[in-house]
Amino acid sequence: MNHINYNHLYYFWHACRAGSIAGAAEALSLTPQTITGQIKTLEDRLQGKLFRRQGRGLVPTELGQLVFRYADRMFMLGQEMLDIVNYRKESHLLLDVGVADALSKQLVSKVLETAVVAEEKIHLRCFESTHEMLLEQLSQHKLDMIISDCAIDSTRQEGLFSVRLGECPASFWSTEPLSGLTFPACLESRPLLIPGRRSMLGRKILNWISTQGLQVEILGEFDDAALMKAFGARQNALFVAPLLDIGQREGIHEAGQLSAVSEEYHIIFAERMIQHPAVQRICHADFSGLFPRQHPDEKKPA
């Protein structure tokens, strides 16, 4: 075996990631018959079956798992090369950033300001989604960096790095003062709006409510922090927001601060982006003025 057709290997790689021929065909804008034929040719070349049926999908055989591991490293490395070449050759430095939808956009914008300097042209492209979806897009090289409320374990997710920027205390707020009621008992007097339980902050708040033994009415869960605040103002509900996200507090009253609950901010990026100038600036910026609970001794990549 002197040569492998890398197009055949590429089609197999897509089918393995998609778990089906149809998924690979859709991703590659080809017909399922074409994908099937190319994989069959690769199987003939490797003298073994690469897939077996499991339910309605496909799973790799032992040979298929071996081939996929090598193919995955090859094509990911090729994508890294293109990413580095592309962001260096553009007239404007490109940076594709994913932002977890539950985070305060006011605080995120201040983090992103660190990436922008007057002497360097930069082109930011920002996308919003859940932490899980953003992490998947980052691993597929569709994003350069994400800002999230969750960290990652770099020992389990090879090639990805996580840097903690800081954390911000969270409070319950309302448009009408809660006179005569103490915190946290006052939370039982009005409907509550909280971050979605898919977010880290949402899960923390639900756990805190449970440990406090409160009997509350949760009117809604919101992935979008700005929508939660706007809806809360119109419904006379109590809503959650980071302490520094309220800005001008005219017409907004703090019901109480969750001393044991805070919203964390992390940036997550692939190894290939360590030397990206904008990522470097964010990693080494001093956010102590933005995040009161930032740990100054937090280790950051060189």
Side-chain angles (χ1 to χ4, degrees):
M1 187 188 309
N2 298 321
H3 176 69
I4 260 191
N5 187 312
Y6 289 102
N7 281 334
H8 299 166
L9 189 63
Y10 188 64
Y11 297 153
F12 160 75
W13 180 63
H14 267 283
C16 206
R17 294 177 70 191
S20 69
I21 297 297
E26 183 178 355
L28 296 168
S29 300
L30 297 171
T31 65
Q33 292 79 6
T34 299
I35 301 292
T36 300
Q38 300 295 322
I39 292 176
K40 178 65 170 63
T41 302
L42 179 62
E43 288 179 330
D44 292 343
R45 187 65 169 152
L46 298 176
Q47 300 178 357
K49 288 290 184 181
L50 296 173
F51 287 115
R52 60 181 176 82
R53 284 282 175 191
Q54 182 170 293
R56 295 184 178 181
L58 294 174
V59 294
T61 61
E62 187 173 342
L63 174 63
Q65 293 175 30
L66 174 67
V67 174
F68 176 77
R69 284 197 297 270
Y70 280 97
D72 195 47
R73 289 160 62 186
M74 289 167 52
F75 293 123
M76 285 297 187
L77 191 62
Q79 188 60 56
E80 283 187 17
M81 178 193 70
L82 290 176
D83 288 343
I84 293 171
V85 168
N86 286 339
Y87 88 67
R88 289 186 179 276
K89 76 179 182 181
E90 295 286 343
S91 58
H92 289 67
L93 198 64
L94 293 176
L95 184 65
D96 289 335
V97 182
V99 178
D101 45 21
L103 291 179
S104 159
K105 303 310 177 289
Q106 180 177 335
L107 297 183
V108 169
S109 68
K110 292 179 180 179
V111 171
L112 290 175
E113 284 176 10
T114 313
V116 181
V117 291
E119 62 271 18
E120 183 179 78
K121 292 182 177 180
I122 188 168
H123 186 153
L124 286 173
R125 294 189 295 197
C126 297
F127 309 89
E128 190 176 15
S129 189
T130 63
H131 170 82
E132 292 76 16
M133 184 62 70
L134 293 175
L135 204 58
E136 180 180 344
Q137 292 176 329
L138 182 66
S139 67
Q140 295 174 357
H141 300 267
K142 295 178 181 178
L143 293 172
D144 298 324
M145 181 186 82
I146 66 177
I147 304 176
S148 180
D149 58 346
C150 300
I152 61 162
D153 185 349
S154 297
T155 61
R156 294 187 176 184
Q157 292 176 287
E158 186 179 355
L160 295 182
F161 292 89
S162 177
V163 174
R164 183 181 181 279
L165 302 180
E167 59 184 87
C168 183
S171 293
F172 275 98
W173 305 84
S174 70
T175 54
E176 298 292 336
L178 298 169
S179 55
L181 296 174
T182 59
F183 186 82
C186 63
L187 299 182
E188 298 179 332
S189 67
R190 291 189 192 172
L192 303 185
L193 305 178
I194 65 172
R197 65 189 67 206
R198 291 185 303 176
S199 69
M200 181 63 71
L201 181 58
R203 293 193 292 271
K204 286 181 178 180
I205 290 173
L206 287 171
N207 183 63
W208 178 85
I209 290 173
S210 177
T211 58
Q212 294 292 316
L214 297 171
Q215 301 298 315
V216 300
E217 175 194 351
I218 296 178
L219 176 60
E221 298 181 25
F222 290 77
D223 287 337
D224 188 285
L227 177 59
M228 177 170 59
K229 285 190 292 182
F231 188 75
R234 296 185 65 86
Q235 294 293 319
N236 193 26
L238 293 166
F239 59 90
V240 175
L243 188 60
L244 299 180
D245 190 34
I246 296 300
Q248 298 297 323
R249 299 190 187 183
E250 184 177 351
I252 300 294
H253 305 270
E254 186 179 26
Q257 186 180 122
L258 302 167
S259 58
V261 177
S262 60
E263 185 171 62
E264 297 184 7
Y265 285 72
H266 303 263
I267 60 168
I268 304 169
F269 52 92
E271 184 177 11
R272 72 186 190 280
M273 300 304 296
I274 286 181
Q275 298 304 320
H276 191 292
V279 174
Q280 283 272 306
R281 285 193 288 272
I282 294 175
C283 281
H284 294 96
D286 179 9
F287 291 110
S288 58
L290 183 60
F291 301 112
R293 295 184 183 176
Q294 185 190 27
H295 295 180
D297 59 345
E298 190 79 38
K299 290 185 178 180
K300 298 183 178 182

